[in-house]
Amino acid sequence: MRTQVAIIGAGPAGLMLAHLLQRAGVESVVLEIRSRAYVESRVRAGVLEQGTVDLLNDTGLGDRMRREGLVHEGIELGFEGKRHRIDLKALTGHAVTVYAQHELLKDLIEARLRVGGEIIFEATDVSIHGIDGNSPSVTFSKNGVAQELHCDYIAGCDGFHGICRTSIPDGALTAFERVYPFAWLGILADAAPSQGELVYMNHDRGFALFSMRSPTVTRLYLQCDPADDITNWTDERIWDELLLRFRCDNGWKPNMGPITQKSITPMRSLVTEPMQYGKLFLAGDAVHIVPPTGAKGMNLAIADARVLAQGLVDKFQTGSTGLLDRYSEICLRRIWRVQRFSWWMTSMLHRFPDASPFDRRRQMAELEYLAGSEAAARSLAENYVGLPLELL
Ligand SMILES: Cc1cc2nc3c(=O)[nH]c(=O)nc-3n(C[C@H](O)[C@H](O)[C@H](O)COP(=O)(O)OP(=O)(O)OC[C@H]3O[C@@H](n4cnc5c(N)ncnc54)[C@H](O)[C@@H]3O)c2cc1C
């Protein structure tokens, strides 16, 4: 088997890369370890930046998102029992769209299969070879049969636990990492969202986030210990804690309903540099992780895919490797700005176990500054709706 680009992983990075390459006439094969049903139902991110929305619309993927996505022109910050709205639209001219990651993946998979593009689901024992030479290849098994895929380039879009980053020789990459002393317990509840915009709440007992996935599904998170086990959290305990942290002077609270999914996700910031080694290019969570407080993980993965697609298209259409050679440099500028924003939101909104009374008062002063200063609010809004997607 032969293709131009072998893409490992059918997440937002891999499928968007395949989509953009296909539109430009560059062949690719996507290899995914999981089944299609699993990929299409895995609940993860849900906030699309304006630039991501524009990219989906410009490349023919926006129909269902425009119908079913929820456009949000603001977010709210809550502290000391009060909520303060940050008007994203008034401050930046832009908005964000709430559209679940797995819904976007369904659209990407459908679009790819419709044009005859290949996605090999349930590919096991995936292994990459020859990345520092001129004939890279990927070996894998499908239905117990060993296969080999020859290619010109390999795109490692296989997430944090994938095999691509760890296939690069020791010493070639440098990792910059911060692990936070807390995690997010996230639930999906069959309950209509009790208001139209996200609420980020800083409470003495820890952070909580009110969000939604559709007009009938509420998504809620609360800060917990990273060593905690989800079995310690009965539905009743989760609701008690959420209602306590969201308590507001005006009586607002999330609607309750049956919890259909719950999990605990650790929080870390990680960047691995560079993002390329020989014929292997890494994109998305395979090479960087942001804490979810800034709602950036999926958007960053898609931004990487856009730069990588353009670099590969340039190479196949003109022979120029100018953009490909600068892939890491271009992506890392954006990644570090997004890392800064995600770290800042995380630091401002969570309760750190070792926080002193000074730290706590400083957090409150920062939130009051945001609530009262247009300049401060604009800085948050500009980052939240997303920095421009630049290729230079
Ligand atoms: C539990 C969880 C909750 C999250 N919640 C949020 C949130 O609320 N907000 C937010 O902004 N972000 C959130 N994120 C982050 C966001 O979902 C990711 O940043 C995004 O999925 C990154 O896309 P990706 O394509 O780089 O990687 P992924 O989506 O991880 O896709 C990688 C793909 O590669 C496949 N794969 C892995 N190993 C192999 C292999 N060896 N061979 C073949 N295929 C392989 C995987 O099955 C997967 O389909 C969350 C992440 C997790 C893990």
Side-chain angles (χ1 to χ4, degrees):
M1 231 195 310
R2 182 169 175 89
T3 190
Q4 288 175 300
V5 184
I7 299 175
I8 319 295
L15 288 171
M16 179 54 81
L17 176 63
H19 177 68
L20 297 174
L21 291 177
Q22 183 274 325
R23 283 174 60 85
V26 174
E27 278 173 27
S28 66
V29 171
V30 181
L31 295 170
E32 166 60 46
I33 197 167
R34 301 286 192 169
S35 68
R36 179 176 178 181
Y38 183 91
V39 170
E40 291 188 340
S41 59
R42 183 167 42 191
V43 175
R44 286 187 165 180
V47 176
L48 304 182
E49 293 177 350
Q50 182 79 52
T52 305
V53 168
D54 294 345
L55 181 64
L56 298 178
N57 282 327
D58 292 348
T59 61
L61 286 168
D63 283 358
R64 203 160 66 90
M65 173 193 66
R66 280 194 303 278
R67 279 199 314 277
E68 298 176 19
L70 309 169
V71 176
H72 285 198
E73 296 188 350
I75 58 167
E76 294 192 3
L77 300 178
F79 56 99
E80 294 181 329
K82 295 196 170 38
R83 294 182 294 144
H84 305 265
R85 185 164 188 267
I86 306 283
D87 191 331
L88 302 172
K89 184 78 175 180
L91 290 163
T92 66
H94 298 304
V96 294
T97 297
V98 172
Y99 189 61
Q101 177 169 321
H102 64 279
E103 299 297 340
L104 173 59
L105 294 183
K106 283 184 201 166
D107 298 342
L108 278 160
I109 290 168
E110 198 270 325
R112 178 152 183 83
L113 298 181
R114 189 167 5 104
V115 296
E118 195 158 8
I119 308 174
I120 302 176
F121 289 103
E122 298 175 80
T124 56
D125 304 322
V126 176
S127 177
I128 62 177
H129 312 276
I131 50 176
D132 43 10
N134 282 323
S135 329
S137 64
V138 184
T139 52
F140 62 99
S141 295
K142 173 74 187 174
N143 297 330
V145 180
Q147 308 205 30
E148 185 161 17
L149 175 63
H150 296 276
C151 54
D152 297 302
Y153 292 98
I154 298 174
C157 306
D158 50 350
F160 182 63
H161 300 288
I163 50 98
C164 289
R165 183 182 68 252
T166 51
S167 301
I168 294 175
D170 287 348
L173 300 181
T174 306
F176 302 87
E177 185 172 28
R178 167 155 304 181
V179 177
Y180 297 92
F182 38 75
W184 277 17
L185 188 164
I187 63 160
L188 282 177
D190 277 342
S194 61
Q195 74 142 30
E197 292 177 345
L198 274 65
V199 182
Y200 290 82
M201 188 66 90
N202 180 322
H203 188 275
D204 278 344
R205 292 177 64 86
F207 171 75
L209 172 61
F210 168 85
S211 172
M212 65 291 293
R213 284 295 178 263
S214 75
T216 55
V217 176
T218 298
R219 177 93 163 128
L220 296 156
Y221 298 94
L222 54 86
Q223 173 183 346
C224 68
D225 188 316
D228 211 339
D229 191 304
I230 196 66
T231 56
N232 295 329
W233 288 84
T234 60
D235 292 4
E236 190 186 10
R237 182 178 172 209
I238 291 173
W239 284 119
D240 285 350
E241 192 63 33
L242 283 167
L243 293 177
L244 197 60
R245 294 191 195 182
F246 281 118
R247 188 174 294 159
C248 288
D249 293 353
N250 68 2
W252 172 84
K253 57 184 181 189
N255 288 334
M256 293 169 66
I259 295 177
T260 56
Q261 203 252 6
K262 54 182 168 181
S263 61
I264 291 179
T265 309
M267 307 264 285
R268 58 157 54 84
S269 302
L270 170 73
V271 181
T272 312
E273 299 183 10
M275 295 166 64
Q276 58 203 88
Y277 179 83
K279 296 288 182 308
L280 172 66
F281 291 81
L282 301 171
D285 277 15
V287 67
H288 46 71
I289 299 286
V290 282
T293 330
K296 295 294 177 206
M298 172 172 49
N299 294 291
L300 262 189
I302 288 173
D304 289 352
R306 181 166 177 265
V307 179
L308 183 52
Q310 191 57 53
L312 290 165
V313 169
D314 277 8
K315 162 67 184 153
F316 286 114
Q317 287 183 349
T318 70
S320 163
T321 59
L323 199 52
L324 267 190
D325 293 342
R326 293 179 50 234
Y327 168 68
S328 286
E329 177 201 327
I330 294 168
C331 291
L332 284 167
R333 270 208 309 269
R334 179 187 190 83
I335 289 162
W336 275 111
R337 286 184 204 177
V338 171
Q339 284 288 3
R340 182 209 68 82
F341 176 68
S342 302
W343 161 84
W344 173 71
M345 287 281 279
T346 304
S347 308
M348 178 173 68
L349 289 164
H350 289 76
R351 182 171 181 79
F352 284 72
D354 59 351
S356 65
F358 176 92
D359 296 326
R360 192 77 191 130
R361 281 182 168 65
R362 186 188 47 73
Q363 269 188 337
M364 289 303 124
E366 186 145 30
L367 286 160
E368 275 167 18
Y369 177 48
L370 277 165
S373 158
E374 188 176 311
R378 180 170 287 117
S379 169
L380 186 157
E382 177 183 51
N383 283 277
Y384 197 86
V385 300
L387 301 168
L389 285 167
E390 291 161 359
L391 281 184
L392 298 173

